[in-house]
């Protein structure tokens, strides 16, 4: 699959940058790249619809104490603090740094599944406890809301089982991704920040 993608990229370089290329020719190049990328991603082991996961952070930069802006967040999971939508419902935490364990077993507030959004390549991210979904962009570094209706997310693979989670509503024009704010353990939308913006999915059998 990676060979197919490389071949498509090579062909795009050869055919997409020649002088006086027509729109029809350019459309063919773009379509080939899009198809090759989709084929490659379909073979990446990431997540499956219908299964439940913990969504945990992969930061390798922050080492601060709790409530500091650079609070340690590696291994921590996204969960819902409140049953209903509020301005501080979506949090990150539940990881015991001392033991190296995620204390989320049997906690449906930290369990999520990916629901395809019809007619798109995006997914809504649904919580087991409430049935609500991770909400849309509410502003730069503003706590993410929850939503009673599905909100499309680009679950963007960035390599090595790492993903950026980007709400795709029209307000998120800058394509900010989910990020663990340190001072209050809020999950917010923030510009991409390397490993701190990266999440992985731990399959569970609740």
């Amino acid at each position: 699959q990676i060979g197919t993608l490389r071949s498509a990229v090579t062909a795009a370089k050869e055919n997409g940058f020649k002088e006086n290329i027509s729109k029809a020719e350019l459309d063919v190049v773009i379509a080939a790249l899009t198809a090759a990328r989709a084929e490659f991603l379909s073979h990446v082991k990431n997540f499956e619809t219908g299964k439940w996961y913990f969504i945990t952070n992969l930061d390798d930069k922050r080492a601060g104490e709790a409530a500091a802006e650079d609070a340690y967040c590696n291994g921590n999971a996204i969960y819902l603090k409140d049953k209903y939508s509020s301005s501080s419902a979506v949090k990150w935490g539940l990881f015991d740094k001392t033991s190296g364990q995620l204390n989320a077993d049997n906690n449906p507030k930290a369990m999520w599944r990916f629901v395809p959004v019809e007619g798109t390549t995006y997914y809504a991210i649904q919580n087991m406890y409430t049935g609500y979904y991770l909400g849309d962009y509410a502003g730069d570094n503003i706590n993410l809301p929850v939503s009673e209706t599905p909100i499309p997310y680009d679950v963007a693979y960035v390599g090595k089982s790492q993903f950026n989670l980007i709400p795709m509503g029209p307000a998120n024009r800058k394509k900010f991704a989910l990020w663990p704010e340190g001072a209050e353990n809020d999950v917010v939308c923030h510009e991409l920040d390397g490993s701190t913006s990266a999440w992985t999915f731990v399959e569970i059998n609740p």
Side-chain angles (χ1 to χ4, degrees), residues 23-194:
K23 183 180 184 304
E25 290 174 312
L26 184 59
D27 287 344
V28 169
V29 170
I30 293 172
L33 281 172
T34 301
R37 180 178 182 273
E39 173 68 11
F40 170 70
L41 291 178
S42 72
H43 293 277
V44 173
K45 178 61 178 174
N46 43 43
F47 59 89
E48 297 178 38
T49 58
K51 293 187 176 182
W52 294 93
Y53 298 87
F54 298 130
I55 300 176
T56 61
N57 190 260
L58 291 171
D59 172 75
D60 61 8
K61 299 184 290 186
R62 290 177 14 183
E65 297 298 322
E69 188 55 46
D70 67 340
Y72 183 90
C73 54
N74 179 277
N76 282 275
I78 297 176
Y79 71 99
L80 294 187
K81 178 182 177 182
D82 302 318
K83 183 174 182 179
Y84 301 107
S85 179
S86 75
S87 60
S88 60
V90 184
K91 296 287 189 178
W92 61 271
L94 308 177
F95 182 78
D96 186 332
K97 186 178 177 182
T98 301
S99 67
Q101 298 294 316
L102 179 65
N103 296 322
D105 290 349
N106 304 313
N107 184 351
K109 295 180 180 180
M111 298 176 183
W112 306 88
R113 68 178 178 179
F114 297 89
V115 180
V117 177
E118 187 175 355
T120 76
T121 58
Y122 304 136
Y123 295 86
I125 304 173
Q126 186 177 35
N127 183 256
M128 176 182 282
Y129 181 63
T130 64
Y132 291 165
Y133 302 85
L134 289 181
D136 205 351
Y137 168 89
D140 297 1
N141 302 314
I142 301 297
N143 185 237
L144 192 75
V146 296
S147 174
E148 295 184 33
T149 57
I151 300 297
Y153 271 72
D154 183 4
V155 184
Y157 180 68
V158 293
K160 299 181 179 179
S161 298
Q162 301 180 40
F163 297 83
N164 297 143
L165 302 176
I166 305 170
M168 296 303 292
N172 191 16
R173 292 186 295 273
K174 292 180 283 189
K175 298 297 183 284
F176 277 12
L178 300 197
W179 185 81
E181 178 274 334
E184 306 211 3
N185 285 50
D186 287 340
V187 175
V188 304
C189 289
H190 186 280
E191 63 185 328
L192 289 173
D193 187 23

